Amino acid sequence: MADVASNCSARIDLLDIEMTREMEAYLRRGRVDANLSDGELEGLWTAAFMAWFRNRAAEDSLGYYDLDVELELRCLEPPIEVVHSELARAHAQLSANMDGENPASNERLLTFLKAANDTSF
């Protein structure tokens, strides 16, 4: 049981490090999405998340991560209610078939999906 808790803690630490790196990189680039309204930001986040989520390609991740960081900097939650049905399907798929190509991204995505599925709408 201690190994499971230790493994979980290590994964959370890895996710925190990854999210901190993304925020630092975004801030170094000059917080490019700071001028968007909250509504524009949420709309762009939804589109960027869906593009990234469908193929998890590296070229899609930067835009999504930047928008995700901007939401976090504004203390706004991502509009998961807009993509909830897609997330529920994806959660089942990812839980059953972790591809191992990018464990940090997969773990982050699973954490996000679990939170989305636990949210009441």
Side-chain angles (χ1 to χ4, degrees), residues 3-14:
D3 289 340
V4 172
S6 177
N7 191 17
C8 183
S9 178
R11 287 180 179 175
I12 290 169
D13 290 345
L14 178 62

Side-chain angles (χ1 to χ4, degrees), residues 47-61 64 86 90 93-94 99 101-102 106 109:
F49 178 82
M50 294 306 287
W52 172 77
F53 185 79
R54 286 191 178 115
N55 59 19
R56 290 187 289 165
E59 62 270 9
D60 295 324
S61 66
Y64 160 67
E86 182 81 17
Q93 176 190 358
L94 279 173
D99 62 20
E101 292 178 23
N102 192 343
N106 286 341
L109 185 55

Side-chain angles (χ1 to χ4, degrees), residues 9-102:
S9 178
R11 287 180 179 175
I12 290 169
D13 290 345
L14 178 62
L15 291 173
D16 287 344
I17 290 167
E18 181 75 18
M19 290 165 55
T20 299
R21 286 183 185 151
E22 290 165 11
M23 184 173 291
E24 288 171 348
Y26 176 69
L27 293 172
R28 274 194 306 275
R29 286 191 302 278
R31 201 171 170 186
V32 297
D33 298 313
N35 292 329
L36 296 172
S37 70
D38 290 353
E40 291 170 325
L41 178 61
E42 289 175 352
L44 289 172
W45 179 91
T46 300
F49 178 82
M50 294 306 287
W52 172 77
F53 185 79
R54 286 191 178 115
N55 59 19
R56 290 187 289 165
E59 62 270 9
D60 295 324
S61 66
L62 181 62
Y64 160 67
Y65 288 153
D66 281 357
L67 295 163
D68 200 49
V69 168
E70 184 62 38
L71 284 169
E72 187 172 336
L73 289 169
R74 295 183 192 191
C75 299
L76 297 173
E77 292 293 322
I80 59 172
E81 66 278 358
V82 177
V83 294
H84 190 261
S85 61
E86 182 81 17
L87 293 175
R89 275 193 307 277
H91 183 224
Q93 176 190 358
L94 279 173
S95 292
N97 186 22
M98 293 288 282
D99 62 20
E101 292 178 23
N102 192 343

